[in-house]
Amino acid sequence: MTEPTHDEAHGGALGSRLNWLRAAVLGANDGIVSTAGIVVGVAGATQSRSALLTAGLAGLLAGSMSMAAGEYVSVSTQRDSEMAALAVEKRELREQPEAELEELTTLLEERGLSREVAREAAEQLTARDPLRAHARVELGIDPEELTNPWNAAWASFLAFTVGALLPLLAIVLPPAGRRLAVTVVSVLAALVLTGWASARLGAADPKRAVLRNVIGGALAMGVTYAAGRLLGAAGV
């Protein structure tokens, strides 16, 4: 049997790539909704372009930095856990190789292989790269593809920023009388797109995802606009 020569992604690599794409879409969605809520709320109280720009930029920077910091901490914790698990596995392979070989054989048996085939596969995998074999089969970790907290942080920062730029530009560029309408239409259209994309990446029903996205965004803008109007009327 000849080995495949194409570069198609399989298994964990494809799943990891889809997870990154889904995270990027959701990060952009967060940027759209949160920044739209801020600028629409401010627009309910004032039509000052400088006030809208200041509020929008503050929301963009605060949100993107918060997303990046949160993702960095989360992925760093995950990476620390992966490194600790690999260290334990490395020690066990060094101290009790026969027990680890038997454990790998049992795990392969549980995946549907016969005892004989599982033993032969375990021996071949162990001879090639014992740590990687045990990490992938036993822990579901690829030692060569550990999560990178800096990549995750930058991806979240950029995704949120891209999403937040839409409502920010939509509220400050049009004439005063059209700002709110342009922003609402632009945001709802973008939420349709991100809802559809997230559903497709997650193999879910696009209609339900889009509906949830649009209703959530519309509700956020409605609540903040009402609050802005009340505060503006009160002279706060």
Side-chain angles (χ1 to χ4, degrees):
M1 181 181 295
T2 58
E3 301 248 344
T5 57
H6 54 76
D7 295 326
E8 181 182 353
H10 293 280
L14 178 59
S16 176
R17 190 173 303 169
L18 289 177
N19 285 336
W20 278 107
L21 288 172
R22 191 178 301 115
V25 170
L26 295 176
N29 192 80
D30 287 343
I32 293 169
V33 175
S34 61
T35 306
I38 292 172
V39 296
V40 168
V42 174
T46 178
Q47 287 296 314
S48 168
R49 180 178 272 111
S50 62
L52 292 169
L53 180 60
T54 300
L57 279 175
L60 184 155
L61 292 173
S64 59
M65 293 299 294
S66 175
M67 287 284 290
E71 195 70 14
Y72 179 83
V73 170
S74 174
V75 175
S76 291
T77 301
Q78 179 184 342
R79 185 183 178 88
D80 290 344
S81 298
E82 291 173 345
M83 294 293 290
L86 289 173
V88 170
E89 197 63 40
K90 189 180 296 184
R91 187 187 71 245
E92 290 176 346
L93 284 168
R94 183 177 63 252
E95 296 177 354
Q96 43 190 359
E98 287 301 321
E100 288 298 296
L101 180 61
E102 178 60 29
E103 182 181 33
L104 182 59
T105 301
T106 301
L107 289 171
L108 292 173
E109 274 190 278
E110 292 174 354
R111 296 191 175 191
L113 299 180
S114 67
R115 173 70 185 181
E116 294 74 15
V117 174
R119 182 71 178 190
E120 182 180 354
E123 289 175 349
Q124 290 184 14
L125 290 171
T126 299
R128 182 178 301 175
D129 190 337
L131 179 60
R132 189 178 187 190
H134 280 265
R136 297 186 69 175
V137 176
E138 183 179 345
L139 305 175
I141 299 173
D142 189 336
E144 297 179 3
E145 295 183 7
L146 295 181
T147 52
N148 188 315
W150 283 109
N151 288 346
W154 277 111
S156 294
F157 179 88
L158 291 174
F160 188 97
T161 299
V162 169
L165 281 173
L166 173 68
L168 176 58
L169 295 176
I171 202 73
V172 299
L173 293 182
R178 298 181 181 178
R179 287 174 186 162
L180 188 59
V182 170
T183 301
V184 171
V185 171
S186 300
V187 166
L188 294 182
L191 292 178
V192 169
L193 179 60
T194 56
W196 177 86
S198 63
R200 294 292 295 176
L201 290 170
D205 180 10
K207 293 181 180 178
R208 296 180 62 183
V210 167
L211 186 61
R212 286 195 301 264
N213 230 25
V214 170
I215 291 176
L219 184 61
M221 289 188 290
V223 169
T224 55
Y225 181 75
R229 292 286 290 179
L230 289 173
L231 291 172
V236 177

